[in-house]
Every structure is written in structure tokens, then in C-alpha cells.
Amino acid sequence: MATLHERKSYRAAIMKALYDVTEDNRAGATGASLRDDLHMPEQDLAAACTYLVGEGLVEVDWTTRNTPAMVTLTHEGIRRMEAEEEEGA
């Protein structure tokens, strides 16, 4: 089980990866690509996505094994990432 710090890091990494994909005019990312690109255990990816769905920041199409098939940012998720980008600028 991931520590609190790891869980927060996983969620932030997913949001950034999805925001980067959105900037490239792609709708979202597959769960497999997120897992592989972010070097994240599958169960931690699923847990992070579940959390982000609950916050209204992402939408997930789930596989029959309860793992993310496709993950996309919601409008609120994009707004949050834009606000973070502006704060960092």
C-alpha cells in the first residue's frame, strides 16, 4: 500500500500527464500508458483515479477488472491545472 506522500504524488503525476495530453489536443490517456509512463503499480493507479473521480477532476472508463481503460480530465480538472500553471508562472 502506498504512503500518503506516494498517493499524493501519484495523483499529481496523473493530473499533469493528462493535462499534457490535453494540450496536444488528445482526449485522454489509456490506463496502460499512464501506468507505464509514470511507473505506477496498477492498484495505485486505480486508487488514484478513484480519488480523482470523486473530486470531479477526471472521468474514467473502467475495465472489467476495475482498472482504468481510459482517463480524461474533466472541465474542472483542466481549470485546476490551468490555475496551477498560472500560479507557477
Side-chain angles (χ1 to χ4, degrees):
M1 185 65 162
T3 66
L4 175 61
H5 176 72
E6 288 170 326
R7 291 190 308 265
K8 286 183 175 182
S9 293
Y10 289 155
R11 294 190 297 252
I14 290 167
M15 292 293 291
K16 177 162 183 359
L18 291 174
Y19 186 61
D20 290 346
V21 166
T22 301
E23 288 183 327
D24 292 338
N25 291 321
R26 292 184 289 172
T30 65
S33 68
L34 288 171
R35 182 193 64 228
D36 295 344
D37 293 349
L38 301 175
H39 308 286
M40 189 178 302
E42 196 165 277
Q43 69 183 30
D44 292 330
L45 174 65
C49 286
T50 298
Y51 179 91
L52 294 169
V53 166
E55 293 293 305
L57 301 174
V58 302
E59 292 179 352
V60 178
D61 293 329
W62 298 94
T63 68
T64 55
R65 297 182 344 206
N66 271 347
T67 58
M70 186 65 151
V71 187
T72 55
L73 283 176
T74 63
H75 180 71
E76 184 59 34
I78 293 170
R79 288 176 46 139
R80 175 164 309 172
M81 294 306 295
E82 287 174 344
E84 288 180 14
E85 186 176 16
E86 287 175 349
E87 289 173 9

